[in-house]
C-alpha cells in the first residue's frame, strides 16, 4: 500500500512538472530553445509513462486484484487503484511496436493537416487520416466494446459513455437546436451585435479581464493569467492553476468569454480538495465534466442577465466611448447573438452544438466502417447545410478546420456538447438548491454559486467517475431535457419568438 | 557507449526541466501552489540524482576505467565520462545517512540564518553553523585533499584549485586593493556620484534594459528577461537562457548593472556549441569562469569609457531630466565610484574583492580548525576594519549578511574574485588579439568582443576544466597581475592619483 501510494505520487509529480513544461513551452519559452526543450520534456513524459506501465506498478496493482483486497480499501485509495489500473491495462494492451508506429503517424499527420488546411487541400491529408482511422478501428477491437466500436473511443474521454446512451441525447439536442435556429432565422428581431464592430483597446481589455477574475472566483494567488494564441488551462496543482487568453482589438468578446471559459476550468482545479495533492485523483474527472464547468461559467453565468447587471456598468467605465448609449439589456442580447457560421470555435452558444453533431455523426460512421475518409468533405458539407443552413466554400473552413483528428483524437469532440448538457443539468439543480443565486450574482457575489459547485463537484477531483458524479449531483443520469429547455427559454425571450 | 550517452542525456534532460522548474518557482509560480510544487520538483531532482549515482551509471563508467579504454574515446565523450565520473565518485563517498542528516541540517540552518539576520542575533545561527562546519570538515576528510582541508571545498566550485595556488594570488589582490583604496581615500577628487540620488522611472528603466540587451549580445529569441528580488541566470538549453533583474526607482544602477551582469552569464550559455545539447557538457565549466563572463561584461565592458561613449547619449534620451548637464565622462566616473560599504552585493568594483578576502580567510581558517564559529563576528569586524577601514555596527550588516554558509556553500565565495581575476587576464589577451575592439564598442558593435569570447571560451561549455581553459585562452596560469594592473590603471585615471 505504502509503495503503491509512493509510486502514484511519483508519477503525479512527474506529470505535474511535465504540465508545467507544456505550459512554459506555449507561454514563456523563447523560440530558439524549443526544439531541445521538447526533447527534454519528451524524456520526462516517457519516464512518467514507463512508471505508470512498469512491472512494479503491475505487481502492486495485482495485490488489489481480488474482491476482498479491494473491499478493504478506503474510498480514496480504491479510486487511486481504479485510475492507475485503467491506465495500466489500456496502455498494456497496445503492443509497443504498434504504439510507436501510431505515434510516428500522428506526428506526420499533424504536419500534413497543417499543410492541407493552409492550402485547402483535403486529399493531401486524407491518406494520413485513413491510416489513423485504421489504427483507431484496430484499437477499438483491442480495447474491446459491447455494441459499437466508437464506444471504445468515447470511453477514453468520457469513461462509461456509449453510443447507445449518447445517440438519443444528441438526437434530441440536435433536433431542438435545428428547430430553434429555424425560428430565430425567421424572427424579425435582430440583436444589436454591431456594437462589437468597433475597436476595444487591448490594454483596457487586459485590465478588465484581470478585474473580473477574482470576482468570479478565480484566485490569482493560486493561479496566473497569461496570453497565448490558443487559450487553455493547465493545472500544476490545486494552488497553481494557469489559464491563458488572447486579446484582439477588433473582437472584445474573444478575450472576455475566453477568459471566463478558462476560468471555469481553473476554478474547478483550484477547488479540488488538497487531500488529493500528489495523487492521480488531483484533477478534474473527465473532459466532459471539465468542459461543463467552463461552459457553465462562460454561458450559463457569463452570458446571463444577472452577470451583466453587475458587470455591464463596470465595462462601460472601461469603454465609455464604445458603449455609449447601449443599455444593459441590449448588451446582454448582443452577447447572445445567434448566427450560423463555419468555424466551431467562433460559434455561438446555440449553433455550437450543431457543429459537434456534424463531427459526432461522422466519427461514429467512420468507426463503424459506414463511411470512408474520402467521402468526408461531401458529408461534412451536407450536414452543415442540413443543420446550420450554410455550406463552406472551402474545406479549410469545413472538414479541415480542427486539429483533433490529426492527433488521433477521435471521440474527443462529444466532450464539448457533453459539457453543455452537464452544465444545463447542473444549473437546474443549482436553481433548486440555491434559490436566489441570480440576485447574488447581480450584486457581484459569486460565492453562493462557487461554494455550491465546490461542495457538490469540484472538491472531489477524480474521486467519482463522471456518470456517478452527475447522478450524485443532479439525482439523474445525463439527459438532454435541461439543455433543450434552457436553450428554448433563453432564445425565446431574447429573440421574442 | 550508446547506453552511457543515453543515460547522460536522460540526466541532462531531467536537470534541464528541474532548472526550468526552479526558474518558474522564483519568477512565475503563484504562492499558494509553491509548497506542493516544491515537492514535485524534489521528486524530479531526487530521480536525477539517483540516475547519476545509479548502479547502471557505475557499471557504465567501469567500462571506461582502464587507460586503454579512455584513450579510445573522442575528446567530447572523454569529457562526458570525466564529468559523470567525478559526480558519481563524490556523491558515492558520502554515506546516505550522513547526507540525509546534512540535508536536514542545512534546511533548518537556512531558517535559523533568516531569523538571525532579521533579528541581528548571531548566537541564534551559531550552533547551526558549527554543525555545518563540523560536517564540512568531515566531508573534506572523505573527499580527500593533499595539503589543506579547504582544498576539498574549493574543488567543488573550481575544480583543481588549492589554497597553495590561491593564497599568493589573493594576497596580491588584497594588498593591491588595500593600497589603492588608501590612495583613493586620500585623493581630493570626488566622482559625481550624487547624480544617482534621484528617481529614475521604472518603466523607462525597463525600456532601457530591454534596449541594451540585444546590442550587447544577449539574444532575446534565445532567452528571456524577467524580474525577481534576487537577480539570477538560468539556462534551460543554449537556445533558452533566462535572466532576471530588479528595478528600483531610487537606484538606477541596480537594474542596469544587474542586467548587464546576468547577461554576461546568459551570453556564455547561449554561445555554447549546440553539439553539447543534451549532454553534461552543456553548461559553463565552473563558477569562477562563469563569474568571469558576468564580471567581464559588467565591469570591464559595462563600466568602461567606450561602453558609455555609445550608450550614454541613449541613456540621456531615456532620462533627459535626471541627466541634464552631466557629461559622458562624468557619468563614466560616477558609475566607477569607490566607496567602502558593509554589504558585499552593493560593493563597487574595487572594494568587492576585499569583501571576498574577508570571507576567504575566515573559511580557510574554519576548515583548518584555526578558528571557531563563536569567534566569527569579532574576526569579521577586525578584517573589515583592516581592509576596508569600516566596522559594521550590527552583525546583520556584517557576518550575517550572506546566505551562503547557511546552505553549506563553504568554498563558494572565492568564485566571485576568481571571476574578476580571470576576467582581467582574459581582457589582457583580448586587447592583444582584437586590437581596436574598444572603438567598435564605442560604435555599438559588440560583435568583435563577443565573437572572440565565443570562439575562445563560450563554445566549449564544460569540455575543458577551468585551469586548462584559462591556459588555452591566455597562455598562462591564473595570476593576479592583470587584475592588479587593471585596477591600478583604471582608478589612477579616474581619481587622478
Amino acid at each position: 500500500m505504502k509503495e503503491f501510494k509512493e509510486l502514484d505520487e511519483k508519477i503525479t509529480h512527474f506529470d505535474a512538472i511535465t504540465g508545467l513544461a507544456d505550459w512554459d513551452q506555449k507561454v514563456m519559452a523563447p523560440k530558439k530553445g524549443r526544439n531541445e526543450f521538447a526533447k527534454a520534456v519528451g524524456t520526462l513524459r516517457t519516464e512518467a509513462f514507463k512508471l505508470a506501465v512498469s512491472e512494479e506498478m503491475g505487481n502492486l496493482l495485482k495485490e488489489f486484484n481480488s474482491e476482498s483486497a479491494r473491499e478493504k480499501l478506503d474510498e480514496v485509495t480504491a479510486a487511486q487503484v481504479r485510475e492507475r489500473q485503467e491506465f495500466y491495462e489500456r496502455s498494456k494492451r497496445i503492443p509497443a511496436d504498434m504504439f510507436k508506429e501510431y505515434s510516428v503517424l500522428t506526428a506526420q499527420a499533424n504536419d500534413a493537416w497543417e499543410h492541407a488546411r493552409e492550402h485547402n487541400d483535403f486529399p493531401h491529408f486524407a491518406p494520413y487520416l485513413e491510416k489513423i482511422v485504421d489504427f483507431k478501428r484496430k484499437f477499438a477491437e483491442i480495447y474491446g466494446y459491447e455494441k459499437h466500436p466508437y464506444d471504445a473511443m468515447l470511453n477514453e474521454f468520457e469513461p462509461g459513455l456509449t453510443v447507445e446512451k449518447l445517440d438519443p441525447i444528441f438526437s434530441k439536442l440536435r433536433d431542438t437546436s435545428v428547430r430553434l435556429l429555424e425560428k430565430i432565422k425567421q424572427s424579425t428581431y435582430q440583436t444589436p451585435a454591431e456594437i462589437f464592430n468597433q475597436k476595444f483597446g487591448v490594454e483596457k481589455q487586459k485590465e478588465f479581464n484581470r478585474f473580473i477574475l477574482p470576482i468570479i472566483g478565480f484566485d490569482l494567488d493560486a493561479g496566473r493569467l497569461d496570453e497565448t494564441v490558443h487559450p487553455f488551462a493547465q493545472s500544476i496543482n490545486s494552488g497553481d492553476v494557469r489559464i491563458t487568453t488572447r486579446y484582439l482589438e477588433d473582437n472584445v468578446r474573444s478575450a472576455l468569454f475566453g477568459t471566463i471559459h478558462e476560468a471555469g476550468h481553473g476554478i474547478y482545479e483550484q477547488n479540488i480538495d488538497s487531500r488529493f495533492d500528489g495523487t492521480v485523483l488531483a484533477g478534474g474527472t473527465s473532459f466532459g465534466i471539465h468542459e461543463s464547468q467552463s461552459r457553465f461559467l462562460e454561458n450559463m453565468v457569463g452570458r446571463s442577465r444577472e452577470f451583466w447587471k453587475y458587470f455591464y456598468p463596470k465595462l462601460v467605465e472601461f469603454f465609455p466611448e464604445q458603449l455609449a448609449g447601449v443599455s444593459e439589456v441590449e448588451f446582454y442580447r448582443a452577447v447572445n447573438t445567434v448566427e450560423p457560421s463555419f468555424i466551431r470555435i467562433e460559434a455561438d452558444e446555440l449553433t455550437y452544438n450543431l457543429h459537434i453533431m456534424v463531427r459526432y455523426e461522422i466519427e461514429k460512421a467512420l468507426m463503424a466502417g459506414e463511411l470512408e475518409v474520402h467521402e468526408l468533405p461531401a458529408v461534412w458539407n451536407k450536414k452543415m447545410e442540413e443543420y446550420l443552413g450554410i455550406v463552406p466554400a472551402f474545406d479549410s473552413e469545413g472538414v479541415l478546420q480542427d486539429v483533433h483528428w490529426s492527433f488521433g483524437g477521435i471521440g474527443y469532440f462529444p466532450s464539448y456538447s457533453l459539457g453543455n448538457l452537464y452544465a444545463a443539468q447542473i444549473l437546474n439543480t443549482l436553481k433548486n438548491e440555491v434559490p436566489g443565486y441570480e440576485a447574488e450574482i447581480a450584486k457581484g457575489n459569486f460565492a453562493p454559486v462557487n461554494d455550491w459547485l465546490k461542495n457538490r463537484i469540484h472538491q472531489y477531483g477524480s474521486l467519482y467517475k463522471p456518470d456517478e458524479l452527475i447522478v450524485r449531483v443532479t439525482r439523474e443520469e445525463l439527459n438532454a431535457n435541461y439543455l433543450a429547455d434552457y436553450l428554448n427559454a433563453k432564445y425565446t425571450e431574447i429573440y421574442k419568438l
Side-chain angles (χ1 to χ4, degrees), chain A residues 70-101:
Chain A
R70 290 208 177 214
E71 271 170 14
K72 279 183 212 139
L73 300 177
D74 63 276
E75 188 182 27
V76 172
T77 312
Q80 285 176 271
V81 170
R82 179 197 71 209
E83 293 295 316
R84 289 293 175 203
Q85 181 94 45
E86 281 176 11
F87 185 84
Y88 180 83
E89 285 183 359
R90 203 167 54 235
S91 307
K92 278 288 185 189
R93 280 193 192 164
I94 306 292
D97 284 355
M98 195 174 178
F99 188 76
K100 197 167 180 185
E101 203 186 325

Side-chain angles (χ1 to χ4, degrees), chain A residues 344-362:
Chain A
R344 174 183 61 86
I345 59 168
E346 292 168 7
D348 58 75
E349 191 179 353
L350 174 64
T351 61
Y352 189 93
N353 294 311
L354 294 172
H355 288 270
I356 298 304
M357 297 308 123
V358 170
R359 290 154 178 80
Y360 169 69
E361 290 165 15
I362 285 175

Side-chain angles (χ1 to χ4, degrees), chain A residues 6-26:
Chain A
E6 280 172 2
L7 184 55
D8 180 40
E9 187 183 42
K10 193 200 263 191
I11 300 167
T12 305
H13 284 167
F14 272 53
D15 288 342
I17 301 291
T18 308
L20 169 75
D22 285 339
W23 172 85
D24 188 275
Q25 267 189 301
K26 290 176 192 149

Side-chain angles (χ1 to χ4, degrees), chain A residues 443-461:
Chain A
K443 288 187 275 181
N445 179 14
F446 286 71
V449 172
N450 282 329
D451 289 349
W452 185 85
L453 288 172
K454 176 177 183 169
N455 185 36
R456 303 300 301 274
I457 299 171
H458 299 174
Q459 63 158 320
Y460 297 114

Side-chain angles (χ1 to χ4, degrees), chain A residues 189-221:
Chain A
Y189 175 73
Q190 295 272 321
T191 62
E194 67 280 359
I195 61 173
F196 296 119
N197 298 333
Q198 301 181 72
K199 290 193 188 299
F200 289 73
V202 162
E203 285 310 313
K204 282 281 164 197
Q205 285 194 48
K206 287 186 189 180
E207 276 179 50
F208 189 72
N209 276 269
R210 294 213 151 261
F211 164 72
I212 65 170
L213 276 181
I215 299 172
I216 65 179
F218 184 83
D219 181 353
L220 282 164
D221 286 332

Side-chain angles (χ1 to χ4, degrees), chain A residues 114-139:
Chain A
E114 278 188 8
H115 177 93
R117 189 173 71 155
E118 199 184 326
H119 297 89
N120 192 41
D121 182 2
F122 183 77
H124 180 80
F125 177 51
Y128 296 92
L129 185 53
E130 276 165 15
K131 282 185 200 157
I132 286 174
V133 171
D134 280 347
F135 266 107
K136 288 286 171 175
R137 286 171 182 164
K138 281 181 206 152
F139 289 172

